[in-house]
Amino acid sequence: MTDTEILIEADGISKYYSDFTAVEEVSFQIRRGEVVAFLGPNGAGKSTTMKILTGYLAPTRGHARIAGFDMATQRLEGAKHLGYLPENGPLYADMTPRGLLTFFAEAREVPPSQRKRRMEQVIELCDLGSVLEKPIGKLSRGYRQRVGMAQVLLHEPEVLILDEPTTGLDPNQIHEVRKTIRRLSENRTILLSTHILQEVEAMASRILFISEGRLVYDGSVEQLLENGETLDSQFRRLTTVS
């Protein structure tokens, strides 16, 4: 019987490319309402794991589930519960935020009776009111990230997977994206990949560390930082290859 409180599950997932191992035997569960940070150095397997969890890649072995749905065989059902913001997610530069949100509301089959309400909600949540009619290609990177966030929220997913949502942003833009994620965390399950360790302490209660394709830590922030350790020193300890 499926535990309805487990909304993200990696069950022994592995991904091989010929002789190269991208991830191997990665397993974890994330329950309803948790905000979990997914950390590791470049090339450790974070993005591959996230793509498997979202159904963009099929695992060589193992299973990825969103809200109980296997993302290799039940992707459409799982996607109804999922909002995925990939690193540098694609946007249509010639469209306006309003036009893009209208397009995605239709593509995601948001009922016509709910589209206006949902668009107004995500526009307010992501603070897009001042740029709704401007071409996306003319917006700052911070605003483009907010547009991307708004479109993944249109169908009211209970699970969010965010891959490096603050990459390339200046400190002011990072602050704004952080505020948005905090608001979202009040009633959603979030898996967040980031290189900005301060973001982890500010938003997450639990950390997953991956190194060379294998999960090397799964536990609370408090446990990791006991005995006066810093997140930076623990990152190096857990991910430095001997």
Side-chain angles (χ1 to χ4, degrees), residues 177-188:
V177 172
R178 180 193 294 178
K179 285 199 306 183
T180 300
I181 293 173
R182 278 180 178 157
R183 290 196 295 268
L184 295 174
S185 69
E186 293 173 2
N187 56 6
R188 291 176 176 85

Side-chain angles (χ1 to χ4, degrees), residues 43-197:
K46 296 191 306 298
S47 291
T48 298
T49 301
M50 288 182 149
K51 287 176 181 176
I52 291 172
L53 287 171
T54 58
Y56 280 73
L57 281 178
T60 306
R61 190 170 62 238
H63 300 275
R65 301 181 183 93
I66 297 294
F69 294 101
D70 190 308
M71 296 303 286
T73 59
Q74 300 171 294
R75 183 182 175 189
L76 291 180
E77 292 88 344
K80 294 175 183 177
H81 300 267
L82 173 67
Y84 173 43
L85 184 64
E87 184 178 6
N88 301 315
L91 296 171
Y92 299 103
D94 293 337
M95 296 181 75
T96 64
R98 187 188 299 280
L100 185 85
L101 292 175
T102 300
F103 169 77
F104 275 106
E106 294 173 356
R108 288 188 172 275
E109 299 182 337
V110 176
S113 62
Q114 298 178 20
R115 287 177 190 169
K116 184 175 184 294
R117 175 185 63 84
R118 285 301 301 148
M119 285 181 60
E120 289 174 349
Q121 287 175 338
V122 298
I123 287 166
E124 180 179 0
L125 182 64
C126 298
D127 196 16
L128 293 173
S130 63
V131 298
L132 278 178
E133 308 303 337
K134 295 181 179 180
I136 292 171
K138 300 293 185 182
L139 300 181
S140 70
R141 185 157 186 166
Y143 268 115
R144 292 200 299 272
Q145 282 292 80
R146 288 194 230 171
V147 173
M149 191 82 73
Q151 68 90 1
V152 304
L153 293 170
L154 271 171
H155 61 301
E156 300 186 86
E158 54 190 335
V159 177
L160 293 178
I161 294 181
L162 311 176
D163 192 359
E164 299 289 351
T166 56
T167 294
L169 304 186
D170 66 35
N172 289 334
Q173 293 167 340
I174 289 172
H175 178 71
E176 291 302 316
V177 172
R178 180 193 294 178
K179 285 199 306 183
T180 300
I181 293 173
R182 278 180 178 157
R183 290 196 295 268
L184 295 174
S185 69
E186 293 173 2
N187 56 6
R188 291 176 176 85
T189 297
I190 298 177
L191 179 63
L192 169 71
S193 170
T194 180
H195 279 102
I196 302 176
L197 299 184

